[in-house]
């Protein structure tokens, strides 16, 4: 079997998959967006020399662009970690064929570079290089093009490894992000020693100038990332992927004691194990942890609650959306919207289990309520110690999310009809349904009706916080309604999950 046959088969596999129409529409929209962004970057590259002359007269445009390559690479890698999924083609079906594994890995490594994610930034790079070459700086222009291409290749190879690391150790990844952010801020702002722009200027600017040490460092970094990517591909080719990290004995014992408290607790424990044992759901844990950690950082920023009354509508929206609605509702928003869909691959076995619908729904509700409580308590000690007025915002939205948003998201999840793959390392897996949107979307705006309608803080935050508290007291009524809705939708859910799998 030749490699050309392998490439042709990949193209046919892309075209013959179910829901090709949806994928084709996504490809058309993505291509249009890429052309739009690429056109804007071409125009930016054309006027880049003039912009540099206006801002920094006498500076070399190529060196100025080189100073921004490292911050761009970090930001671009973060975006791609959240948006992209997987490491490319699944190579395991090709292992029985007469193709060497090294050839499969080599082809996939090269094809990974040929994506719109790399083509769009190259529009700016090519334009800047062409402008510099026409100006007589052919050598530096070629070196800048090579350096920029190497940066994009490094980002391409680093993203799957970062995604795997985040999936396997979500809490460790959150800690590393926080520590690195604090260290960079302390070195740059606190100590005033060096910034990312300075490091980028020395490394990539030195490579553009042809200095030996920066060139050697850039080449070694790229080679190391490429080698790590190859190793990541070889791990993805392993047929037996059933090896998973086993939980510690203490953790298993603690979960087992919770499971013995009743059917609803047992369902909640099963949801915990589903989340922790699968890459896709561990990604949701990482995303859920980031927002409360960000609110912890807000505790050290001066903030006056009285300023809310003088804010415009857009400012009030931004000041409360992140630290309030999303920070305490992260577990429900990022994981709860895909409830039942994560079990879609084995929905027949799930529904055949001798568990009542009431216990199944109560377990989901208990799990999301516990996640909402955890999101509330992560920044709570810091907000309390600093006596931050943001604690009022955080607590009010916690009551609303726990009482109103969590049961509403479970109600919307009963309208999910597409099974999700839980062994993918992607942040972007979700499914959309009209029923879920109709139930949950209006409830996201209810707190802002209070915030925009009143000018006294008691009514602004006490209104929707009291609504959430009353809803918490009425949770037995919520459970009856959610159980009825689950019974009403579960056969349609079963048909939809089966259809999406085929």
């Amino acid at each position: 079997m030749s490699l050309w046959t392998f490439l042709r088969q990949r193209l046919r596999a892309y075209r013959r998959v179910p829901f090709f129409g949806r994928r084709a529409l996504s490809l058309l929209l993505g291509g249009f967006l890429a052309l739009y962004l690429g056109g804007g970057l071409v125009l930016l590259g054309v006027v880049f020399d003039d912009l540099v002359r206006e801002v920094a007269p006498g500076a070399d445009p190529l060196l100025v662009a080189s100073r921004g390559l490292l911050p761009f690479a970090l930001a671009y890698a973060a975006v791609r970690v959240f948006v992209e999924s997987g490491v490319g083609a699944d190579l395991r079906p090709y292992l029985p064929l007469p193709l060497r594994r090294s050839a499969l890995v080599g082809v996939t490594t090269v094809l990974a570079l040929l994506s719109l994610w790399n083509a769009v930034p190259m529009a700016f790079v090519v334009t800047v290089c062409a402008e510099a070459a026409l100006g007589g700086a052919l050598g530096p222009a070629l070196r800048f093009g090579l350096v920029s291409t190497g940066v994009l290749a490094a980002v391409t190879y680093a993203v799957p490894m970062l995604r795997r690391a985040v999936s396997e150790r979500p809490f460790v990844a959150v800690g590393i992000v926080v520590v690195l952010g604090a260290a960079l801020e302390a070195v740059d702002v606190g100590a005033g020693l060096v910034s990312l722009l300075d490091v980028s200027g020395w490394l990539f600017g030195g490579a553009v100038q042809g200095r030996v040490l920066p060139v050697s460092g850039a080449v070694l970094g790229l080679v190391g990332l490429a080698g790590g990517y190859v190793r990541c591909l070889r791990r993805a080719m392993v047929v037996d992927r059933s090896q998973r990290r086993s939980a510690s004995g203490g953790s298993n014992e603690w979960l087992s004691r919770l499971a013995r408290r009743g059917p609803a607790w047992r369902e909640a424990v099963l949801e915990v194990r589903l989340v922790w044992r699968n890459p896709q759901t561990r990604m949701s844990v990482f995303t859920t942890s980031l927002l409360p950690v960000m609110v912890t950082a807000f505790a050290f920023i001066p903030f006056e609650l009285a300023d809310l009354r003088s804010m415009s509508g857009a400012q009030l929206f931004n000041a409360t959306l992140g630290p309030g609605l999303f920070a305490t509702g992260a577990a429900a928003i990022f994981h709860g919207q895909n409830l039942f869909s994560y079990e879609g691959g084995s929905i027949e076995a799930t529904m055949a289990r001798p568990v009542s619908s009431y216990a199944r729904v109560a377990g989901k509700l208990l799990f999301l309520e516990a996640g909402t409580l955890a999101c509330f308590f992560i920044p709570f000690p810091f907000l309390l110690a600093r006596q931050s007025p943001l604690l009022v915002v955080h607590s009010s939205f916690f009551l609303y999310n726990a009482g109103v948003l969590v049961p509403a998201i479970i109600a919307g999840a009963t309208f999910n009809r597409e099974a999700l793959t839980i062994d993918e390392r992607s942040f972007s897996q979700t499914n959309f349904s009209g029923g879920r949107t109709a139930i949950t979307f209006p409830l996201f705006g209810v707190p802002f009706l209070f915030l925009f309608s009143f000018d006294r803080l008691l009514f602004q935050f006490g209104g929707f916080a009291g609504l959430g508290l009353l809803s918490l007291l009425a949770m037995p009524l919520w459970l009856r309604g959610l159980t009825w809705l689950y019974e009403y939708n579960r056969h349609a859910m079963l048909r939809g999950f089966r259809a999406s799998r085929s």
Side-chain angles (χ1 to χ4, degrees):
M1 182 180 181
S2 67
L3 291 177
W4 291 111
T5 306
F6 167 66
L7 295 175
R8 187 166 61 250
Q9 196 279 333
R10 289 304 311 158
L11 180 62
R12 289 177 177 174
Y14 183 88
R15 180 170 52 86
R16 291 175 177 175
V17 293
F19 308 112
F20 174 70
R22 185 184 306 173
R23 177 177 285 184
L25 179 61
S26 176
L27 183 62
L28 289 175
L29 293 176
F32 172 76
L33 183 61
L35 290 175
Y36 178 78
L37 295 176
L41 291 176
V42 168
L43 293 177
L44 179 61
V46 170
V47 302
F48 186 72
D49 291 356
D50 298 328
L51 292 176
V52 172
R53 293 190 190 99
E54 289 289 334
V55 177
D60 188 346
L62 295 179
L63 297 181
V64 172
S66 300
R67 285 174 58 85
L69 284 178
L70 183 57
F72 163 78
L74 294 177
Y76 204 47
V79 170
R80 292 180 64 169
V81 165
F82 277 87
V83 175
E84 284 189 290
S85 62
V87 295
D90 185 5
L91 301 180
R92 289 174 296 160
Y94 300 95
L95 297 182
L97 300 178
L99 276 173
R100 290 178 300 170
R101 292 195 175 190
S102 59
L104 288 175
V105 171
V107 170
T108 307
T109 303
V110 174
L111 289 181
L113 301 176
L114 306 178
S115 67
L116 289 176
W117 286 101
N118 294 329
V120 173
M122 284 301 295
F124 172 78
V125 173
V126 170
T127 307
V128 170
C129 290
E131 289 283 328
L134 292 176
L138 179 60
L142 291 176
R143 288 193 292 270
F144 177 76
L146 290 175
V147 168
S148 302
T149 303
V151 168
L152 289 174
V155 171
T156 300
Y157 295 146
V159 164
M161 294 185 287
L162 291 173
R163 190 183 298 113
R164 181 181 291 275
V166 167
S167 171
E168 293 177 353
R169 297 287 191 275
F171 294 122
V172 174
V174 171
I176 291 174
V177 169
V178 173
V179 171
L180 285 179
L184 290 174
E185 192 70 15
V187 171
D188 184 12
V189 179
L193 297 177
V194 67
S195 66
L196 281 178
L197 294 176
D198 297 328
V199 176
S200 181
W202 177 84
L203 181 63
F204 299 124
V208 170
Q209 292 174 329
R211 296 202 298 266
V212 176
L213 188 58
V215 170
S216 302
V219 171
L220 288 176
L222 179 59
V223 171
L225 287 174
Y229 181 75
V230 169
R231 183 182 178 186
C232 187
L233 280 179
R234 289 188 176 276
R235 289 180 62 186
M237 293 168 65
V238 177
V239 176
D240 183 11
R241 300 180 66 183
S242 61
Q243 297 179 358
R244 294 182 177 130
R245 288 183 300 112
S246 59
S248 63
S251 176
N252 275 332
E253 183 181 353
W254 179 70
L255 290 175
S256 299
R257 285 202 301 267
L258 286 180
R260 288 193 289 269
R261 299 187 62 176
W265 287 90
R266 185 162 54 248
E267 291 298 308
V269 168
L270 287 176
E271 194 73 23
V272 171
R273 288 171 173 164
L274 168 72
V275 167
W276 198 246
R277 292 177 178 177
N278 297 283
Q280 173 62 43
T281 47
R282 284 199 299 267
M283 285 292 189
S284 68
V285 173
F286 175 74
T287 310
T288 299
S289 305
L290 279 178
L291 292 175
V293 170
M294 290 174 61
V295 176
T296 302
F298 291 161
F300 299 91
I301 299 176
F303 178 78
E304 291 294 336
L305 198 60
D307 294 342
L308 292 175
R309 289 177 288 184
S310 59
M311 288 182 179
S312 64
Q315 291 174 331
L316 184 63
F317 187 79
N318 293 329
T320 55
L321 185 67
L325 183 66
F326 282 107
T328 58
I333 293 171
F334 292 107
H335 180 80
Q337 63 173 336
N338 292 324
L339 285 178
F340 307 110
S341 293
Y342 288 135
E343 307 162 20
S346 56
I347 189 63
E348 294 87 357
T350 300
M351 292 195 172
R353 290 176 56 245
V355 178
S356 67
S357 298
Y358 183 89
R360 181 166 291 135
V361 171
K364 306 286 187 187
L365 182 66
L366 184 60
F367 172 80
L368 290 187
E369 293 288 5
T372 304
L373 186 63
C375 291
F376 169 74
F377 274 117
I378 288 174
F380 179 76
F382 301 93
L383 295 174
L384 188 62
R386 299 283 298 182
Q387 296 183 354
S388 173
L390 197 61
L391 184 60
V392 175
V393 180
H394 194 64
S395 303
S396 301
F397 275 98
F398 162 69
L399 290 174
Y400 178 78
N401 288 334
V404 177
L405 197 62
V406 167
I409 284 181
I410 295 177
T414 62
F415 292 89
N416 289 339
R417 300 292 183 263
E418 184 175 347
L420 296 182
T421 306
I422 57 177
D423 60 356
E424 288 289 337
R425 292 174 170 85
S426 168
F427 289 91
S428 57
Q429 267 203 118
T430 187
N431 48 68
F432 300 94
S433 63
R436 191 177 70 196
T437 303
I439 292 175
T440 59
F441 186 75
L443 295 177
F444 282 108
V446 170
F448 299 99
L449 293 178
F450 288 89
L451 292 174
F452 296 153
S453 300
F454 300 100
D455 57 357
R456 295 185 61 183
L457 296 177
L458 177 63
F459 296 124
Q460 282 181 314
F461 292 97
F464 64 85
L467 182 63
L469 185 59
L470 289 176
S471 184
L472 279 173
L473 296 176
M475 200 55 68
L477 298 178
W478 271 111
L479 274 174
R480 292 182 184 179
L482 292 174
T483 303
W484 175 86
L485 192 61
Y486 173 77
E487 287 282 352
Y488 180 80
N489 281 325
R490 68 174 185 167
H491 294 293
M493 190 188 305
L494 176 62
R495 291 192 298 269
F497 289 159
R498 284 174 172 171
S500 66
R501 293 202 311 256
S502 60

